Amino acid sequence: MEGKSASCPEGVVSWYIRTSRLAVALAIIKLRPPGGARQFTESLAERLKRQDESWKSKAESLHEDLLHLRQELLLTRTLLNTRSCAGQAPAFTGQEIAKVLSQDDTREVNSGTLQTCLPPTPPNSQKVPPKDRQWRQDHRLTKHVQFLQRLSGLRSGFEESLCQDGDVVWDSVVQLLDCVVEDFRQAHTGQPLRHPEQLHNAIQVVAQTLSPGGARQGFPVQHFSRVEDLLKEMVKLLLTNQQLNAFSVQDSLSDCLLALGGNCCITRTPLIQLLMSQIIQLAQQLGDACEKSGEEHEHHQVDWVCYQNSFYLFWLLERLAQDTDNRVNQELVVQLETKAFPLADEFSLFSLYMWRIGGLFRAGDS
């Protein structure tokens, strides 16, 4: 009797295990799409990708909202400090502060090109149509430009803000630069480049903030690394654009890069060395093509799009070389001159430009 009663619970447990396994198997069969396991895996991966993009979009939106609040707090504190230092009444009323923060100072905006008509409140949905996404892009760019212009307008409190709240300023610079690059990313896919003058003005605001008068406290490493990544992306977009709108986009992108390199000492040397490195890399590819002969030469893979667009890089380097305060790695200059000779026969114009740029920067360093 005892043996029989002991075996009874074991039988019940075994029955529950078999039933559970069967239920799980049936659930999997019902969930599996008609295409089989492969289609199920692809469908699951796509679903997870969309979910990840949704969370990323929400995180970026929250970061923007938090940064905007920190910007307003910094402006308010700087306004109070400025008025106090001027010997005026130490306090603003809430309405006075709101008025100062909300007004658009047209004197700080070239020809009013940044005064875009924006809806009163942004759309709440994460899945917004392209028109609303473009609205958000314009709104984001305008807000960062206005913050940096208003802060730089408060000259007496600007450097103090860099000391105490530099992270807010530098984060705003990075976000503004990313806004500009985003417009060029969209143009790289064939979409029209809207308001190029607005992008150029935004870049000038970035360069002004990073100029010696505004960046004496130094650029934090984590933010400067992001700026370098965005510079690399801008140069890559300049090299690889093959859309029908290439000429207008290339001209605008070149002007933006020139403003960053010509008006800002912090980004000038990294940009120059990045441009040189890209030309040296392309010269290596062309040199490999020159080593091939006959039919193999004709079929050798050469990126002709990058070759044609490389002359924008030469133009930028020639303009940046006019600045006498260039501290460029001379190893890159030597590589430019050395790699120019093997290309003289097959790619004579490219070789001539390499030799000229090398000479300009060597002369500027001496």
Side-chain angles (χ1 to χ4, degrees):
M1 291 292 294
E2 293 180 358
K4 186 175 180 179
S5 61
S7 62
C8 185
E10 294 180 0
V12 173
V13 171
S14 178
W15 179 82
Y16 273 112
I17 292 176
R18 289 197 303 269
T19 304
S20 300
R21 288 176 177 174
L22 180 60
V24 171
L26 290 174
I28 293 175
I29 292 173
K30 289 181 178 180
L31 289 174
R32 189 180 63 181
R38 179 177 179 180
Q39 184 175 344
F40 175 76
T41 304
E42 293 175 352
S43 175
L44 180 60
E46 181 65 25
R47 191 190 314 165
L48 291 175
K49 180 181 178 181
R50 289 196 302 268
Q51 189 179 47
D52 182 66
E53 291 175 350
S54 176
W55 281 110
K56 182 179 179 181
S57 177
K58 291 178 181 178
E60 291 175 351
S61 178
L62 290 173
H63 178 266
E64 281 289 327
D65 292 342
L66 177 60
L67 179 58
H68 182 56
L69 291 175
R70 296 177 69 191
Q71 288 173 347
E72 290 190 344
L73 179 62
L74 176 57
L75 284 175
T76 301
R77 185 163 58 247
T78 306
L79 280 169
L80 294 175
N81 292 340
T82 302
R83 187 163 185 175
S84 177
C85 292
Q88 301 177 8
F92 279 97
T93 66
Q95 292 181 347
E96 288 175 329
I97 293 176
K99 182 178 179 180
V100 172
L101 293 179
S102 62
Q103 65 183 345
D104 293 328
D105 191 349
T106 56
R107 295 173 299 176
E108 295 176 352
V109 184
N110 295 338
S111 304
T113 53
L114 286 173
Q115 301 304 317
T116 55
C117 297
L118 300 175
T121 55
N124 295 322
S125 174
Q126 294 297 326
K127 297 181 179 180
V128 293
K131 184 178 180 180
D132 287 337
R133 285 201 298 268
Q134 188 61 58
W135 180 96
R136 289 192 177 199
Q137 175 70 10
D138 292 342
H139 186 272
R140 180 181 169 216
L141 183 145
T142 304
K143 285 298 183 182
H144 291 311
V145 167
Q146 290 174 348
F147 163 71
L148 292 174
Q149 286 177 331
R150 289 166 183 166
L151 186 62
S152 64
L154 302 170
R155 299 292 181 183
S156 60
F158 185 54
E159 292 197 10
E160 181 180 354
S161 299
L162 289 176
C163 293
Q164 299 179 357
D165 304 274
D167 188 63
V168 179
V169 180
W170 303 134
D171 195 6
S172 302
V173 168
V174 172
Q175 295 300 322
L176 177 55
L177 186 57
D178 184 68
C179 289
V180 174
V181 176
E182 178 59 30
D183 273 12
F184 286 112
R185 292 187 193 114
Q186 296 174 7
H188 195 263
T189 64
Q191 300 182 35
L193 185 66
R194 305 179 321 112
H195 310 304
E197 71 284 351
Q198 178 176 333
L199 300 179
H200 189 261
N201 288 335
I203 286 294
Q204 289 180 325
V205 172
V206 170
Q208 178 185 358
T209 306
L210 297 179
S211 64
R216 292 173 186 169
Q217 304 304 323
F219 207 157
V221 175
Q222 67 273 20
H223 293 307
F224 186 70
S225 175
R226 178 60 178 151
V227 169
E228 286 187 315
D229 290 340
L230 291 171
L231 285 176
K232 292 178 182 177
E233 186 173 359
M234 293 174 76
V235 173
K236 183 179 179 180
L237 292 173
L238 185 63
L239 270 177
T240 58
N241 190 0
Q242 54 182 336
Q243 301 295 329
L244 295 177
N245 61 356
F247 291 112
S248 60
V249 173
Q250 299 294 76
D251 289 343
S252 298
L253 183 51
S254 299
D255 288 340
C256 288
L257 284 169
L258 182 61
L260 279 175
N263 302 330
C264 177
C265 61
I266 291 182
T267 55
R268 181 183 300 126
T269 299
L271 177 58
I272 290 175
Q273 296 185 162
L274 175 60
L275 294 171
M276 286 185 174
S277 298
Q278 291 294 327
I279 290 176
I280 291 171
Q281 182 178 345
L282 181 57
Q284 183 62 48
Q285 297 176 5
L286 298 176
D288 293 340
C290 291
E291 293 178 358
K292 307 297 179 180
S293 60
E295 183 178 355
E296 188 178 3
H297 178 120
E298 296 177 2
H299 290 84
H300 186 74
Q301 184 66 31
V302 175
D303 194 335
W304 296 110
V305 173
C306 287
Y307 174 75
Q308 294 173 355
N309 290 331
S310 66
F311 291 95
Y312 286 100
L313 272 60
F314 285 121
W315 177 81
L316 283 168
L317 285 170
E318 190 170 4
R319 295 292 300 273
L320 293 172
Q322 298 175 9
D323 194 303
T324 57
D325 187 24
N326 286 322
R327 300 178 181 178
V328 182
N329 186 347
Q330 287 300 295
E331 292 183 5
L332 293 175
V333 177
V334 172
Q335 289 187 55
L336 278 175
E337 297 175 339
T338 303
K339 292 185 178 294
F341 288 108
L343 304 177
D345 293 333
E346 296 288 342
F347 303 97
S348 56
L349 185 59
F350 189 90
S351 174
L352 180 62
Y353 266 109
M354 289 184 67
W355 178 256
R356 171 174 170 76
I357 293 301
L360 286 174
F361 280 95
R362 181 175 290 279
D365 184 70
S366 59

